[in-house]
């Protein structure tokens, strides 16, 4: 782990985080998570939160375990907690009935390894809601949308001026849909598990200008759907090809289908 990133998450991010939501109900992910837990009757099941932060959701289920890169949040956890990377979860195969992760995957170098790890430690037919910040913008690291033009030289001014166009839905659709179609055709006709496609970003650990200035990758939710369904899993939140192809943002809910562990 980059020492700058470690410092950022241990001392800067979580210190600021203490000023954020102080209850589960006040958290922006709470409505989706509460509905998920109710829909699939998971309150008494074994659940893991990847990137748990201060464990604000730890009391929503009885058998909760949290993992986070930063050990500084351990004092806020009353239930089992492990300081580790999402790419190396310290659990045996087929351990959890459900895993959830909110606003984490965009900060994980090598996110495909994190997906593999979460899938590995889920039980057969386990549930996985993923809610990262999809499609993080490359201009967030330097805060182009929130900083004045005076902060930038001519190249930076041109970048800032181009953002309204580049961030518009029509422009993004023109870029995204042909690529999605190509990835869908490749996955469909290869009949093999696909690799997870994502763009690498240069994070800013010095100045947190705006949300996702610290993101290390930009991910299309459609590519996450392809990654799971190519392995035989189901996308419960987007069950049809039409909804999958036109997915924009928000949580994706997967059910993992794999051969059960042999009886001991």
């Amino acid at each position: 782990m980059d020492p700058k990133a470690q410092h950022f998450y241990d001392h800067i991010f979580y210190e600021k985080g203490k000023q954020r939501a102080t209850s589960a109900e006040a958290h922006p992910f709470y409505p989706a998570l509460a509905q998920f837990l109710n829909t699939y009757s998971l309150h008494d099941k074994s659940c893991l939160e990847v990137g748990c932060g201060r464990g604000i959701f730890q009391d929503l289920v009885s058998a909760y375990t949290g993992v986070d890169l930063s050990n500084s949040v351990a004092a806020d956890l009353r239930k089992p907690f492990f300081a580790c990377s999402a790419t190396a979860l310290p659990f045996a195969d087929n351990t959890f009935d459900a895993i959830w992760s909110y606003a984490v995957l965009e900060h994980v170098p090598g996110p495909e390894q994190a997906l593999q790890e979460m899938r590995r430690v889920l039980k057969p037919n386990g549930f996985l809601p993923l809610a990262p910040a999809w499609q993080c913008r490359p201009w967030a690291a330097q805060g182009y949308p929130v900083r004045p033009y005076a902060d930038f030289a001519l190249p930076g001014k041109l970048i800032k001026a181009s953002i309204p166009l580049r961030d518009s839905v029509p422009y993004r659709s023109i870029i995204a849909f042909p690529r999605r179609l190509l990835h869908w055709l490749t996955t469909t006709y290869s009949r093999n598990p696909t690799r997870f496609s994502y763009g690498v970003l240069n994070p800013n650990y010095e100045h947190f200008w705006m949300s996702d200035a610290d993101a290390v990758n930009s991910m299309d939710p459609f590519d996450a759907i392809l990654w799971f369904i190519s392995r035989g899993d189901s996308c419960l939140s987007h069950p049809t090809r039409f909804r999958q192809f036109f997915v924009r943002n928000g949580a994706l809910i997967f059910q993992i289908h794999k051969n059960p562990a042999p009886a001991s």
Side-chain angles (χ1 to χ4, degrees), residues 52 57 61 95 110 137 142 200 217 231 235 254 261:
C52 65
F57 297 130
V61 295
T95 297
R137 310 296 193 258
Q142 296 306 319
V200 177
N217 56 65
R231 287 159 173 77
C235 186
F254 299 100

Side-chain angles (χ1 to χ4, degrees), residues 160-233:
K160 181 175 175 65
S162 72
I163 288 174
L165 171 64
R166 294 165 63 194
D167 208 27
S168 67
V169 172
Y171 180 89
R172 289 165 52 201
S173 298
I174 291 171
I175 301 299
F177 288 161
R179 185 186 58 78
R180 285 186 177 188
L181 180 59
L182 177 61
H183 287 190
W184 177 74
L185 290 173
T186 302
T187 301
T188 299
Y189 289 104
S190 71
R191 299 184 182 277
N192 292 316
T194 185
R195 296 189 65 180
F196 184 49
S197 177
Y198 62 95
V200 177
L201 300 178
N202 184 25
N204 191 336
Y205 297 128
E206 300 296 331
H207 300 284
F208 192 66
W209 296 109
M210 58 184 294
S211 178
D212 300 319
D214 56 330
V216 300
N217 56 65
S218 178
M219 305 166 292
D220 187 336
F222 182 67
D223 288 313
I225 292 173
L226 289 180
W227 192 87
F228 282 98
I229 65 175
S230 72
R231 287 159 173 77
D233 304 325

Side-chain angles (χ1 to χ4, degrees), residues 2-259:
D2 186 335
K4 291 184 179 180
Q6 190 73 55
H7 173 80
F8 178 80
Y9 291 114
D10 270 340
H11 301 291
I12 300 175
F13 183 80
Y14 288 117
E15 285 300 316
K16 291 182 178 179
K18 290 180 181 178
Q19 303 171 11
R20 299 180 182 178
T22 56
S23 69
E25 292 79 5
H27 194 283
F29 188 49
Y30 174 79
L33 180 58
Q35 181 179 17
F36 164 73
L37 296 174
N38 289 331
T39 299
Y40 300 105
S41 302
L42 294 168
H43 294 281
D44 60 348
K45 302 296 184 180
S46 178
C47 296
L48 172 69
E49 181 174 11
V50 174
C52 65
R54 294 181 292 120
I56 202 165
F57 297 130
Q58 62 186 306
D59 293 325
L60 296 187
V61 295
S62 56
Y64 173 97
T65 300
V67 299
D68 199 278
L69 184 66
S70 173
N71 195 47
S72 65
V73 301
D76 295 304
L77 273 292
R78 301 179 301 279
K79 293 185 177 179
F81 168 77
F82 297 83
C84 66
S85 169
T87 60
L89 298 175
F91 309 108
D93 297 357
N94 308 318
T95 297
F96 297 98
D97 295 293
I99 298 174
W100 68 79
S101 181
Y102 173 80
V104 171
L105 200 59
E106 70 272 23
H107 305 296
V108 178
E112 183 171 18
Q113 180 62 34
L115 296 181
Q116 291 171 343
E117 281 290 277
M118 286 187 273
R119 192 173 185 275
R120 176 184 67 81
V121 302
L122 271 171
K123 296 177 182 178
N125 299 317
F127 297 97
L128 174 61
L130 283 177
W134 302 109
Q135 300 169 335
C136 293
R137 310 296 193 258
W139 51 78
Q142 296 306 319
Y144 283 104
V146 298
R147 296 169 64 188
Y149 278 96
D151 280 5
F152 304 106
L154 179 60
K157 287 179 168 63
L158 294 175
I159 292 174
K160 181 175 175 65
S162 72
I163 288 174
L165 171 64
R166 294 165 63 194
D167 208 27
S168 67
V169 172
Y171 180 89
R172 289 165 52 201
S173 298
I174 291 171
I175 301 299
F177 288 161
R179 185 186 58 78
R180 285 186 177 188
L181 180 59
L182 177 61
H183 287 190
W184 177 74
L185 290 173
T186 302
T187 301
T188 299
Y189 289 104
S190 71
R191 299 184 182 277
N192 292 316
T194 185
R195 296 189 65 180
F196 184 49
S197 177
Y198 62 95
V200 177
L201 300 178
N202 184 25
N204 191 336
Y205 297 128
E206 300 296 331
H207 300 284
F208 192 66
W209 296 109
M210 58 184 294
S211 178
D212 300 319
D214 56 330
V216 300
N217 56 65
S218 178
M219 305 166 292
D220 187 336
F222 182 67
D223 288 313
I225 292 173
L226 289 180
W227 192 87
F228 282 98
I229 65 175
S230 72
R231 287 159 173 77
D233 304 325
S234 303
C235 186
L236 303 179
S237 58
H238 297 72
T240 67
R241 295 293 187 189
F242 180 86
R243 291 187 61 189
Q244 291 170 3
F245 189 81
F246 290 99
V247 61
R248 289 187 62 187
N249 49 40
L252 302 178
I253 301 177
F254 299 100
Q255 187 170 27
I256 305 304
H257 305 296
K258 55 185 177 180
N259 295 327

